[in-house]
Amino acid sequence: MADQLIDETDREILELLREDARRTLGDIGARVTLSTAAVKRRIDRMQENGVIVGYTVQIDHAKLGWGIEAFTELRFTGTTKVGEIVRTTTRMPEAQAVFTIAGDPDALVWLRVRDMGHLQHTIDEIRRHHQVTGTKTLMVLDSWTRGQQWPHPGDV
């Protein structure tokens, strides 16, 4: 569906914005050989179509004292609704994302904490939820992310 909303030039614009959302329209235009006005029209159209849903900043969490990342698998009682699974951790500042998944486990929570004691406290807090039947925590040693890129049609 998204491929019908955008063309290759739009993809180039999106990639440039993904690399640096503060890039000027003039800079983008120079890189994709379009006028500033044409770039603005394309970006406005992609926002209206929901292809671009927002802009963000990347933070070095380690410099803020929250440098430890972990993923915690959660298992719940069989009667737990998906919405309740998500609500179990979304109120916690340590939870960066919650993924409900098919099979075992029921959810995967991406956590960011200050230190090992903070991680232990966070896991204990999750375990106190009456519908959580088990957890398994995996520590992140290093990471790489594709960001918000998408596969090009010929890549798949």
Side-chain angles (χ1 to χ4, degrees):
M1 174 76 175
D3 286 336
Q4 298 168 353
L5 298 175
I6 63 174
D7 62 17
E8 192 56 37
T9 301
D10 292 332
R11 285 180 180 279
E12 290 178 47
I13 292 170
L14 289 171
E15 180 61 22
L16 290 167
L17 287 171
R18 192 195 60 76
E19 289 171 2
D20 182 1
R22 295 179 54 168
R23 194 182 297 271
T24 67
L25 297 176
D27 178 59
I28 294 170
R31 293 171 185 261
V32 299
T33 63
L34 289 175
S35 70
T36 299
V39 170
K40 181 172 181 352
R41 282 192 303 272
R42 284 174 174 263
I43 290 173
D44 288 346
R45 178 180 41 79
M46 287 189 282
Q47 287 174 328
E48 290 167 11
N49 290 339
V51 173
I52 297 174
V53 295
Y55 297 87
T56 189
V57 63
Q58 294 179 3
I59 299 169
D60 184 339
H61 293 278
K63 290 184 178 174
L64 297 176
W66 289 64
I68 296 177
E69 293 178 272
F71 286 89
T72 297
E73 297 176 355
L74 301 181
R75 287 166 184 78
F76 288 80
T77 61
T79 58
T80 308
K81 296 183 185 303
V82 172
E84 183 61 26
I85 291 172
V86 172
R87 282 189 296 279
T88 299
T89 57
T90 54
R91 294 183 199 103
M92 301 173 70
E94 297 86 357
Q96 304 301 297
V98 179
F99 306 92
T100 54
I101 52 182
D104 183 35
D106 299 302
L108 187 62
V109 181
W110 171 25
L111 298 172
R112 187 179 304 278
V113 295
R114 293 182 300 273
D115 54 39
M116 295 308 290
H118 187 194
L119 178 60
Q120 181 177 341
H121 173 79
T122 302
I123 299 303
D124 287 345
E125 187 176 330
I126 291 170
R127 287 179 176 167
R128 278 194 279 278
H129 189 279
H130 68 280
Q131 292 180 306
V132 173
T133 61
T135 65
K136 175 181 174 184
T137 301
L138 308 162
M139 298 295 301
V140 175
L141 300 177
D142 196 8
S143 64
W144 173 88
T145 182
R146 184 174 304 284
Q148 296 277 332
Q149 290 178 331
W150 59 90
H152 290 274
D155 294 346
V156 181

